[in-house]
């Protein structure tokens, strides 16, 4: 991912108002992120733990999405991340719900995604971060193929979010 600035992040959100994007808490470690190993920027709001944000690079530039985490973090069970296909124990994967773009979102329509709560999907597929034992399945895919699948999963989610 190409490093993004605070202004680019705030201007990228497609499912919240400009005022909400202006007020949201940004990560303080943007300068130290491993940008060359990231396919997206994701973070939890330190002031409102049930909020999370995602910025994905697309053809026209970064696209930001605001989420609410549901109360259904999985407890003691394992859950599978829809983005990186990593199995995580307990609260390692949560259902994140995003308002749809436009009128549908204003009417309360949402799209959900099960995703790693630490937003380390890019690092998991590259083997740069290891989940707890049993978190990665044995696959014959190359790292490049896993990265491509991750990107396709993210872009598929964004496509569902923007469909009216």
């Amino acid at each position: 991912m190409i490093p993004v600035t605070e202004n680019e992040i705030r201007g990228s959100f497609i499912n919240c108002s400009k005022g909400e994007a202006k007020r949201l808490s940004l990560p303080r470690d943007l300068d130290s992120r491993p940008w060359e190993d990231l396919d997206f920027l994701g973070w939890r709001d330190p002031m409102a733990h049930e909020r999370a944000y995602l910025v994905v690079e697309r053809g026209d530039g970064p696209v930001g999405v605001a989420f609410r985490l549901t109360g259904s973090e999985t407890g003691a069970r394992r859950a599978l991340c829809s983005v990186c296909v990593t199995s995580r124990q307990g609260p390692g994967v949560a259902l994140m719900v995003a308002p749809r773009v436009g009128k549908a979102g204003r009417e309360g329509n949402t799209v959900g995604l099960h995703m790693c709560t630490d937003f380390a999907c890019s690092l998991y597929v590259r083997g740069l971060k290891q989940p707890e034992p049993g978190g990665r399945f044995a696959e014959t895919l190359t790292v490049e193929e896993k990265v491509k699948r991750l990107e396709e999963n993210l872009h598929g989610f964004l496509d569902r979010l923007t469909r009216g």
Side-chain angles (χ1 to χ4, degrees):
M1 179 171 189
I2 298 170
V4 288
T5 65
E6 180 178 327
N7 286 338
E8 289 171 324
I9 293 169
R10 292 191 189 282
S12 72
F13 283 90
I14 59 173
N15 69 336
C16 66
S17 72
K18 289 183 192 230
E20 290 169 317
K22 187 176 181 179
R23 291 186 301 272
L24 64 86
S25 297
L26 295 178
R28 296 178 184 210
D29 63 346
L30 288 175
D31 292 338
S32 64
R33 294 279 173 137
W35 293 103
E36 63 280 354
D37 294 319
L38 297 181
D39 303 291
F40 62 89
L41 173 66
W43 72 100
R44 302 274 296 262
D45 189 323
M47 306 307 283
H49 200 62
E50 76 283 355
R51 292 180 188 219
Y53 307 99
L54 179 74
V55 177
V56 180
E57 222 175 278
R58 283 199 103 169
D60 294 345
V63 174
V65 176
F67 289 104
R68 285 212 180 266
L69 277 72
T70 67
S72 65
E73 293 187 34
T74 60
R77 297 182 324 188
R78 295 191 79 80
L80 189 67
C81 175
S82 301
V83 175
C84 66
V85 193
T86 298
S87 174
R88 305 283 310 279
Q89 186 73 32
V93 170
L95 177 60
M96 299 187 191
V97 179
R100 284 187 175 270
V101 174
K103 182 180 177 191
R106 289 188 298 276
E107 293 175 348
N109 295 314
T110 60
V111 177
L113 177 73
H114 283 91
M115 191 166 185
C116 292
T117 56
D118 63 1
F119 291 98
C121 298
S122 298
L123 303 178
Y124 291 132
V125 299
R126 288 172 172 80
L128 300 173
K129 186 172 182 178
Q130 296 300 316
E132 59 275 354
R136 293 294 305 164
F137 300 107
E139 295 185 283
T140 58
L141 298 176
T142 65
V143 170
E144 292 77 19
E145 290 169 327
K146 291 176 188 176
V147 169
K148 183 174 176 16
R149 178 180 62 193
L150 179 150
E151 291 171 347
E152 289 171 351
N153 291 342
L154 275 176
H155 291 282
F157 167 76
L158 292 174
D159 290 345
R160 289 190 312 275
L161 189 68
T162 56
R163 273 191 225 127

